[in-house]
Amino acid sequence: MKKILPLLIFFCFSTIIAQQKIDLTYYLPQDISYNTNIPTPESVIGFQVGDWHVSHDKLVEYMKVLAKFSDRITIENRGKTYEGRPLLLLTITSPKNHQNIESIRTEHLKLSDANISSSLNTNEMPLVIYQGYSIHGNEPSGANAGLLVAYYLAAAESDYINELLDNTVILFDPSYNPDGLNRFASWVNTHKNQNITSDNNDREYSEAWPKGRTNHYWFDMNRDWLVSQLPESQVRIKSYHQWKPNILTDHHEMGLNASFFFQPGIPSRTHPLTPKLNQELTAKIGEYHAKAFDKIGSLYFSEERYDDFYYGKGSTFPDINGGIGILFEQASARGHAQQSDNGILTFPFAIRNHFTAALSTLKAGKNMRTDLLEYQRNFYKNAQKEITRDKNKAIIFGDATNKTKTFHFAEMLKRQKIKFYKNGNNENSYIIPLNQPNYRMIKGMFEKRTTFKDSLFYDVSAWTLPLAFNINYSYTSKISNLGSEVTNLSFPNGTVSAKSDYAYLFEWDEYYTPRALYSILKKGLRAKVAMQPFSLNEKNYDYGTIMIPAQNQQLSAAEIYNLIKSIADETGVNINAANTGLTEGIDLGSSNFKVVTKPKIAMLVGDGITSYDAGEIWHLLDTRYQIPITKLDTKNLSKADLSRYTTIIIPNTSGSTLNNSKENLKTFVKNGGVLIGYRNSLKWLNTNKFINLDFKKAKAKTKNVAFDQRQDFKGAQVIGGAIFEAELDRTHPIAFGYNKNKIALFRNTTVFIKPDSVETYKSAIQYTKNPLLSGYISKENLKVLSKTIPFKTAKLGKGKVIVFTDNTNFRAFWYGTNKLMMNAIFFGKMM
Ligand SMILES: [Zn+2]
């Protein structure tokens, strides 16, 4: 590393540089020496950083080698992704700190407990910095820069690095999204030319569906930090709370023609629960980035485009936890080199920018150490003061008829270190006292917010979690009945009341009833659903109760009992034995029990389909309900034999890739199939006469909008994601399993359907008159949304077309509306 190439040649962009052999001197500071005992990335992964896109296995290999050779680094494997890749974390600090790492950690955690933090001497405490890379897998310059950052931290020799490592503990997360990183690396490496082509028509720069941005089930993992439904997030959140870092960085890429962005973002779009000082410190850290970028001659910007509003994002999540989250966005070559507005953008150039930002973060952390530690201490102290001013003292949550959903909600709180207690002896009911360190995060999870400083949002404007889960909750100003703290949560297994030779019954309200029903149908057993309520043995059974006769089945009564027992156990569904068919209300042999058949489901995927929406459905059916689905590519749809399926789901799409398959899809429905369409597919289904929909359109009042305000004006009419109230007709099969007349729906489209003008039938689901529960919507849109319908069905031949204007499966945490889709799948023919 002693050889110093003239830096100048790297400042000039030309086609030559795209071909230029890059070596480590391009990336690393050259005014220091590097320990030659530490293997360079190239010596392990077999190529210079930036020559190829690192695959995740090679990244892992290098991290393990570094941990082996450096006494500054320890490594742990915290779990695995859906595709089985390890989720590594390196702890990097001075060898001396490593010897006391556990006591450093426990002392550091005391800063976030206002009751004990006063006595701590922050002068003597290291700062904790979490550095994580490429949560969007096709934004890989972060993870590739990570190779260099880790090498630098292991091998650099100088007074500065010693001081840095003495004064910081660096939690180093080399890849936030291993599956996505690997998917993208395969794509670009597969298409790489020896003579690099910066022409963006090259296939290298036109990644196939589904892109590497997302994880295995096509989730944007940078929306999952608060709700943490995915395994990658869960291990990360665990590390987060084990340490409560002072700074957390999140390295991304953006469009080709941009430069480099670092936070702070747009000031008016910071979440109101985030203290002002957070943004001031972010800006102060930003000065370090600016200085470092000035030095290497890279363009950058801040306080534009991005925001700090949704706590589900990596750079915003720390802001409600006493830390500073920082988003970095680098213009993306999305491959090895691309022609851009700023000349040829090479992959190594993008890597070097991320490397630079990682180092300037560490420098800022070292120099601002006590400020940031004090900030953290005061964050929790001030939160405690806010608690005393809060008229509410606790939140009670839980749902007696939905113990598994309550369990998943409680699990989520537990992951975020929120304490809760049993509510006396009430089953499935818990109390969250507000007087606890994470008071602000509790507020951030439960609050309903309908007024905003700004009308533009980078992401959703609302995520009120008990509404998303559709569980009961209430605030209370007096804590009574506080039981023991819940420290051990376990899945609430279901029960079977007794063995029966006649029939079994279970209600449809528990979250996992679709899984239970599918398990039964899969065994070839007959099952029916009750279209009316009834009661038996002094128990009331609601609409949608499932009945499994014990006689004339493929299995013996004894085998059925064993099967039912294991299903109850794994789904949490309580199943009752019935020894008579005579009930109050419809008897078990009544024709008001309708046959339910095993669904055979295909979902459209591929070009034209929104991969997020498709991934959410795939994940729901595959991982939660254990129901197999065929992912049917739109490119094969016109010729596919659709008679194999009972149900086809069209996730959000404009329909542009479906035009050639129109006839095949129509034949499928006419022959008796159920077609379920979501969001914008409704327009295509309407145009192509699958269903007749009457759309409403909002018109924003335009008045002299200035040129530079046009974007904001348009943006204000977008529904980025908010929560609305609708009324349910509980007698309709779409509402089976819901035991209240109102439901909260998530909406991020402006597709509005008028209810039928002839009011013969009540609408099965209809937005209330003033439907806004939480989040931002323009006045014009709200007016139009009022009393429209988010759901409609129509007969077509022997089949059914069922449409939803809203996403019922949003980001794996909208548990509350999953059943709407499941009802369409199981009971669609009855609607
Ligand atoms: Zn990104």
Side-chain angles (χ1 to χ4, degrees):
M1 238 50 45
K2 296 280 169 341
K3 203 180 80 191
I4 299 177
L5 282 176
L7 274 176
L8 199 77
I9 62 160
F10 296 108
F11 289 134
C12 85
F13 295 103
S14 68
T15 34
I16 300 157
I17 197 136
Q19 318 288 345
Q20 191 84 44
K21 265 274 167 248
I22 297 272
D23 69 21
L24 278 180
T25 58
Y26 174 62
Y27 300 112
L28 299 181
Q30 292 301 305
D31 51 356
I32 54 167
S33 59
Y34 292 87
N35 180 348
T36 50
N37 292 326
I38 302 294
T40 62
E42 187 175 14
S43 70
V44 175
I45 65 175
F47 55 86
Q48 187 51 265
V49 175
D51 276 354
W52 295 90
H53 285 243
V54 75
S55 60
H56 189 258
D57 50 354
K58 288 197 172 182
L59 182 67
V60 167
E61 194 186 348
Y62 185 59
M63 294 301 143
K64 285 184 175 166
V65 167
L66 280 185
K68 193 172 146 197
F69 281 85
S70 170
D71 58 1
R72 299 168 177 175
I73 299 180
T74 58
I75 193 166
E76 61 186 296
N77 180 6
R78 301 169 293 171
K80 50 187 179 172
T81 67
Y82 282 114
E83 293 175 19
R85 295 191 172 84
L87 293 160
L88 300 181
L89 185 74
L90 280 63
T91 303
I92 308 177
T93 187
S94 66
K96 195 182 95 214
N97 284 342
H98 268 301
Q99 283 166 16
N100 313 306
I101 197 76
E102 188 52 21
S103 78
I104 291 174
R105 187 182 74 82
T106 50
E107 284 300 289
H108 184 81
L109 279 186
K110 290 180 186 167
L111 284 170
S112 48
D113 187 343
N115 297 320
I116 50 174
S117 63
S118 294
S119 62
L120 298 167
N121 181 0
T122 51
N123 278 320
E124 292 170 359
M125 300 169 75
L127 193 80
V128 179
I129 303 174
Y130 195 113
Q131 295 189 300
Y133 300 90
S134 299
I135 199 161
H136 297 140
N138 62 358
E139 301 173 6
S141 52
N144 284 268
L147 293 163
L148 298 161
V149 181
Y151 170 73
Y152 169 83
L153 291 172
E157 291 173 323
S158 70
D159 291 343
Y160 169 76
I161 189 93
N162 290 336
E163 222 180 289
L164 174 71
L165 294 173
D166 272 340
N167 285 289
T168 55
V169 174
I170 300 156
L171 304 171
F172 192 89
D173 195 330
S175 167
Y176 278 148
N177 176 9
D179 294 347
L181 184 79
N182 213 70
R183 191 184 314 144
F184 184 69
S186 296
W187 178 266
V188 284
N189 288 339
T190 299
H191 293 91
K192 189 192 172 190
N193 297 315
Q194 281 187 26
N195 301 287
I196 289 177
T197 308
S198 61
D199 176 0
N200 47 28
N201 282 337
D202 193 284
R203 191 163 194 249
E204 176 177 342
Y205 310 114
S206 169
E207 199 189 350
W209 197 105
K211 297 179 178 180
R213 175 182 176 90
T214 50
N215 79 343
H216 177 76
Y217 285 103
W218 311 335
F219 283 98
D220 182 339
M221 288 205 298
N222 197 33
R223 305 294 183 268
D224 192 48
W225 290 68
L226 188 65
V227 294
S228 57
Q229 296 299 311
L230 306 167
E232 296 91 342
S233 317
Q234 288 171 5
V235 302
R236 194 183 330 116
I237 294 303
K238 194 171 170 200
S239 309
Y240 188 93
H241 289 300
Q242 264 168 4
W243 275 100
K244 296 212 193 290
N246 301 92
I247 299 177
L248 181 140
T249 54
D250 189 18
H251 292 257
H252 289 249
E253 288 183 359
M254 56 185 156
L256 169 71
N257 293 317
S259 58
F260 190 92
F261 167 84
F262 51 80
Q263 274 178 326
I266 297 167
S268 61
R269 295 199 218 160
T270 303
H271 197 288
L273 288 172
T274 298
K276 218 173 136 234
L277 185 54
N278 169 291
Q279 294 293 299
E280 289 166 16
L281 289 166
T282 309
K284 222 172 144 191
I285 296 169
E287 289 171 19
Y288 285 83
H289 308 315
K291 221 172 150 186
F293 277 71
D294 289 342
K295 206 172 154 191
I296 60 167
S298 278
L299 295 172
Y300 55 85
F301 67 99
S302 67
E303 296 186 314
E304 280 184 73
R305 189 163 165 185
Y306 299 97
D307 70 17
D308 246 336
F309 191 82
Y310 177 41
Y311 290 120
K313 289 192 301 172
S315 52
T316 309
F317 177 77
D319 301 343
I320 197 74
N321 283 291
I324 308 284
I326 299 174
L327 171 68
F328 294 126
E329 294 274 357
Q330 160 64 42
S332 182
R334 214 72 70 185
H336 292 89
Q338 256 195 87
Q339 190 67 48
S340 82
D341 285 355
N342 297 312
I344 289 180
L345 171 58
T346 68
F347 186 44
F349 176 76
I351 292 171
R352 192 179 60 166
N353 280 346
H354 273 309
F355 175 80
T356 302
L359 263 56
S360 55
T361 301
L362 296 175
K363 190 169 190 178
K366 184 183 95 57
N367 292 353
M368 295 169 62
R369 181 175 59 90
T370 49
D371 283 354
L372 292 164
L373 292 168
E374 287 302 334
Y375 169 74
Q376 185 171 39
R377 169 153 61 186
N378 290 328
F379 178 94
Y380 287 97
K381 281 192 167 177
N382 294 337
Q384 204 178 38
K385 284 180 209 149
E386 284 167 29
I387 296 167
T388 59
R389 290 196 294 267
D390 198 323
K391 65 180 197 306
N392 295 311
K393 294 297 165 235
I395 299 170
I396 298 172
F397 76 94
D399 207 324
T401 58
N402 227 308
K403 53 187 190 295
T404 43
K405 236 165 39 179
T406 303
F407 164 76
H408 286 308
F409 192 84
E411 233 187 352
M412 176 181 69
L413 299 179
K414 211 149 223 10
R415 282 196 292 270
Q416 299 293 4
K417 299 288 173 199
I418 291 167
K419 288 177 195 276
F420 52 92
Y421 298 75
K422 285 188 169 162
N423 182 10
N425 291 324
N426 298 313
E427 287 279 331
N428 303 307
S429 178
Y430 302 102
I431 300 177
I432 310 168
L434 295 182
N435 189 359
Q436 56 175 302
N438 284 327
Y439 167 71
R440 281 173 171 158
M441 188 162 30
I442 297 169
K443 283 197 80 165
M445 287 177 157
F446 282 81
E447 73 167 15
K448 286 190 205 167
R449 191 174 283 272
T450 51
T451 52
F452 301 89
K453 256 206 223 159
D454 205 312
S455 49
L456 297 169
F457 298 85
Y458 188 77
D459 197 71
V460 296
S461 60
W463 52 86
T464 314
L465 296 178
L467 294 182
F469 276 69
N470 188 25
I471 56 165
N472 295 329
Y473 77 110
S474 57
Y475 285 89
T476 167
S477 59
K478 225 175 80 198
I479 301 182
S480 54
N481 220 9
L482 193 71
S484 54
E485 190 188 340
V486 180
T487 50
N488 270 322
L489 263 184
S490 54
F491 186 82
N493 309 101
T495 54
V496 182
S497 66
K499 179 174 179 293
S500 174
D501 291 320
Y502 194 77
Y504 294 95
L505 297 166
F506 65 87
E507 287 190 284
W508 192 243
D509 42 9
E510 270 292 343
Y511 184 71
Y512 287 105
T513 50
R515 177 167 165 173
L517 178 57
Y518 190 83
S519 304
I520 287 159
L521 297 173
K522 195 172 72 178
K523 292 283 178 187
L525 297 179
R526 281 179 295 105
K528 289 185 174 184
V529 59
M531 306 301 283
Q532 300 277 335
F534 60 94
S535 64
L536 179 67
N537 299 334
E538 274 151 33
K539 184 184 159 36
N540 294 321
Y541 289 89
D542 208 346
Y543 295 95
T545 293
I546 301 297
M547 189 258 298
I548 306 116
Q551 297 302 323
N552 196 24
Q553 295 271 27
Q554 283 187 20
L555 302 179
S556 70
E559 286 168 329
I560 292 176
Y561 177 57
N562 287 334
L563 176 70
I564 296 269
K565 262 202 314 195
S566 71
I567 288 172
D569 196 55
E570 71 179 35
T571 60
V573 176
N574 291 335
I575 303 177
N576 294 324
N579 292 317
T580 171
L582 191 64
T583 76
E584 281 173 49
I586 52 170
D587 294 333
L588 300 193
S590 161
S591 58
N592 270 310
F593 278 90
K594 304 266 188 213
V595 173
V596 192
T597 51
K598 187 180 86 172
K600 282 174 255 162
I601 306 168
M603 174 180 63
L604 303 191
V605 301
D607 285 340
I609 303 288
T610 303
S611 61
Y612 299 133
D613 295 44
E616 288 156 3
I617 294 168
W618 179 25
H619 171 264
L620 178 70
L621 294 174
D622 199 31
T623 72
R624 292 201 181 140
Y625 293 143
Q626 306 291 317
I627 299 177
I629 66 164
T630 297
K631 301 188 293 301
L632 183 54
D633 201 303
T634 50
K635 73 172 188 274
N636 302 324
L637 181 60
S638 65
K639 297 211 168 68
D641 170 13
L642 302 183
S643 68
R644 294 175 198 170
Y645 313 110
T646 61
T647 312
I648 294 178
I649 303 172
I650 311 180
N652 187 47
T653 175
S654 70
S656 60
T657 56
L658 305 182
N659 291 330
N660 291 338
S661 311
K662 195 169 68 187
E663 289 317 313
N664 200 16
L665 269 178
K666 229 175 222 173
T667 307
F668 160 78
V669 183
K670 284 180 176 164
N671 288 342
V674 173
L675 185 66
I676 302 171
Y678 272 102
R679 306 217 280 144
N680 288 306
S681 77
L682 274 59
K683 291 178 185 162
W684 186 85
L685 291 168
N686 182 59
T687 307
N688 291 290
K689 302 202 162 37
F690 284 78
I691 186 168
N692 189 16
L693 301 170
D694 199 353
F695 294 111
K696 260 174 114 174
K697 240 186 138 75
K699 207 166 177 317
K701 280 189 205 89
T702 43
K703 213 177 162 192
N704 293 325
V705 181
F707 180 75
D708 75 341
Q709 298 299 312
R710 285 180 194 176
Q711 275 310 95
D712 288 7
F713 173 77
K714 260 174 75 180
Q717 299 307 318
V718 169
I719 304 177
I723 305 173
F724 301 96
E725 183 183 63
E727 209 154 329
L728 288 176
D729 171 5
R730 295 219 309 104
T731 70
H732 194 287
I734 194 68
F736 285 178
Y738 289 94
N739 48 28
K740 278 174 272 174
N741 295 329
K742 298 264 173 73
I743 187 171
L745 299 173
F746 174 81
R747 159 170 280 254
N748 57 355
T749 54
T750 47
V751 179
F752 307 106
I753 311 177
K754 279 186 204 165
D756 292 329
S757 51
V758 188
E759 289 188 11
T760 317
Y761 301 119
K762 189 174 171 184
S763 296
I765 314 177
Q766 185 170 30
Y767 281 112
T768 54
K769 195 159 186 294
N770 296 303
L772 180 62
L773 290 174
S774 191
Y776 170 80
I777 183 171
S778 73
K779 271 194 205 128
E780 296 86 352
N781 280 333
L782 183 59
K783 221 175 126 198
V784 176
L785 181 65
S786 169
K787 288 286 179 181
T788 60
I789 54 171
F791 160 86
K792 197 175 174 180
T793 69
K795 221 170 138 42
L796 179 64
K798 289 186 210 147
K800 271 272 152 73
V801 179
I802 299 176
V803 294
F804 293 100
T805 59
D806 304 325
N807 182 351
T808 57
N809 312 301
F810 191 58
R811 290 180 185 168
F813 75 91
W814 266 83
Y815 285 81
T817 48
N818 288 155
K819 192 151 279 166
L820 295 175
M821 183 179 80
M822 300 320 292
N823 286 345
I825 288 173
F826 282 107
F827 315 129
K829 287 291 277 279
M830 302 160 202
M831 291 176 183

